[in-house]
Amino acid sequence: MESFTTLIFISTITPWMLATVGHGEFMEARKPKKGMINISNDETPPDMVIDQVAAPPAKELPTCLLCVCLSGSVYCEEVSPEMSTVPALPKETTYLYARFNSIRKIRNRDFADATTLKVIDLTRNLISEIEDGAFSKLTNLEELLLSDNQLTKLPTLPTKLSTFNANFNRLTTQGVKSNAFKKLTRLAHLYLGDNELKAVPLLPESLRAVHLQNNKITTITDETFCRGNNSHYIRTNLYEVRLDGNPLQLSKYPNSFICLQTLPVGWY
């Protein structure tokens, strides 16, 4: 009888392999580099070596295998293995939710191609740096949520923002330009509580609520919320101001909130 050779391949099929079915890559993905054994009918088989084909690390997987992509929304919450950078987004992404990860930096290129974004939620990551042009192309962005991170300063923000949340960071007065929000004419909700601010930045007329609790603010002026030279001015939009938890006695500055329809929350 003629000698024959049988090929035996022992491996593990991963979800990464299965995801390639229908794209002409499944057979290529299963090609072994090791673990293929020749067994002849007139030889004693050698010890079999079994190798598993490991799934590639998170940063090499397509975003929609790591996350859930659904009708313009990308959900990347508590991604395992650890997600330490903003994932590459489909161009049509409108909503990004990437909370509870280990993202450390936002780079200019991260959102360069996702110009349709309306909401970015990066709550509770480890972000300590945002490059200044990171949001420059996001002309449709309405909500930017960056609470529970490690930011000490803010980049230039998109002009159409209606909600900005940077509670529980390490923002300093030096890291937040005094006019950082002044030109955001649609900004309605501004949350900067639990930071290290020593002064109140200029606030746009569109604001409805501003939270500045638990900072290091020691003084305010007649121009902080009102127009000191106009006793008839009423700030009709702003209905909620939080200044509690600051070393600031509000009763010393009665003219600072005379234009408001409700008193600020704080120490009197």
Side-chain angles (χ1 to χ4, degrees):
M1 180 181 294
E2 295 182 359
S3 170
F4 66 91
T5 300
T6 303
L7 296 181
I8 297 177
F9 168 61
I10 301 175
S11 181
T12 298
I13 298 177
T14 67
W16 169 66
M17 294 177 179
L18 293 174
T20 61
V21 176
H23 298 278
E25 301 174 6
F26 182 65
M27 293 306 295
E28 182 67 24
R30 293 179 67 247
K31 280 185 180 178
K33 293 183 178 180
K34 296 180 181 179
M36 183 174 285
I37 307 166
N38 292 340
I39 300 179
S40 173
N41 67 334
D42 55 0
E43 294 180 2
T44 300
D47 291 337
M48 295 172 63
V49 178
I50 301 175
D51 286 336
Q52 292 187 345
V53 179
K59 64 181 180 179
E60 295 180 8
L61 280 170
T63 298
C64 291
L65 289 184
L66 278 173
C67 311
V68 175
C69 298
L70 182 65
S71 298
S73 298
V74 177
Y75 300 87
C76 298
E77 300 189 343
E78 292 187 282
V79 172
S80 181
E82 180 180 279
M83 176 179 284
S84 58
T85 59
V86 175
L89 299 174
K91 288 187 177 182
E92 68 277 9
T93 303
T94 306
Y95 305 95
L96 170 63
Y97 302 95
R99 301 179 296 179
F100 314 115
N101 288 296
S102 299
I103 297 170
R104 290 170 168 77
K105 180 179 179 179
I106 300 177
R107 303 159 297 184
N108 288 342
R109 65 176 181 270
D110 287 338
F111 301 115
D113 296 324
T115 55
T116 57
L117 275 166
K118 289 185 177 181
V119 175
I120 295 175
D121 189 348
L122 295 168
T123 299
R124 196 167 293 183
N125 276 274
L126 300 172
I127 301 168
S128 60
E129 181 183 356
I130 302 176
E131 294 182 0
D132 196 53
F135 305 123
S136 61
K137 296 184 178 180
L138 303 183
T139 56
N140 297 305
L141 195 67
E142 297 173 0
E143 295 186 25
L144 180 56
L145 311 177
L146 298 170
S147 61
D148 286 282
N149 278 285
Q150 300 176 8
L151 292 169
T152 58
K153 63 180 182 178
L154 295 179
T156 302
L157 299 171
T159 57
K160 288 186 179 180
L161 279 184
S162 62
T163 298
F164 179 70
N165 190 336
N167 284 342
F168 296 100
N169 274 274
R170 301 174 183 174
L171 294 173
T172 66
T173 303
Q174 293 74 23
V176 179
K177 297 178 182 177
S178 62
N179 62 348
F181 310 104
K182 186 64 176 177
K183 295 182 179 179
L184 307 187
T185 58
R186 299 186 185 185
L187 189 64
H189 299 92
L190 175 61
Y191 304 117
L192 297 172
D194 293 270
N195 279 282
E196 298 179 17
L197 298 174
K198 295 181 179 179
V200 179
L202 296 175
L203 305 174
E205 289 288 328
S206 56
L207 269 187
R208 301 173 72 182
V210 56
H211 288 189
L212 293 160
Q213 71 276 10
N214 301 324
N215 276 277
K216 298 180 179 180
I217 299 169
T218 56
T219 61
I220 55 178
T221 72
D222 294 355
E223 301 287 336
T224 301
F225 304 107
C226 304
R227 297 175 183 173
N229 60 352
N230 185 352
S231 60
H232 299 289
Y233 169 70
I234 301 296
R235 193 158 192 160
T236 56
N237 290 327
L238 191 57
Y239 65 88
E240 183 178 325
V241 178
R242 284 193 61 183
L243 286 165
D244 47 304
N246 284 280
L248 171 70
Q249 187 174 349
L250 292 173
S251 59
K252 292 182 178 180
Y253 308 95
N255 293 330
S256 295
F257 42 85
I258 196 170
C259 66
L260 302 180
Q261 299 188 79
T262 58
L263 291 175
V265 177
W267 174 44
Y268 288 89

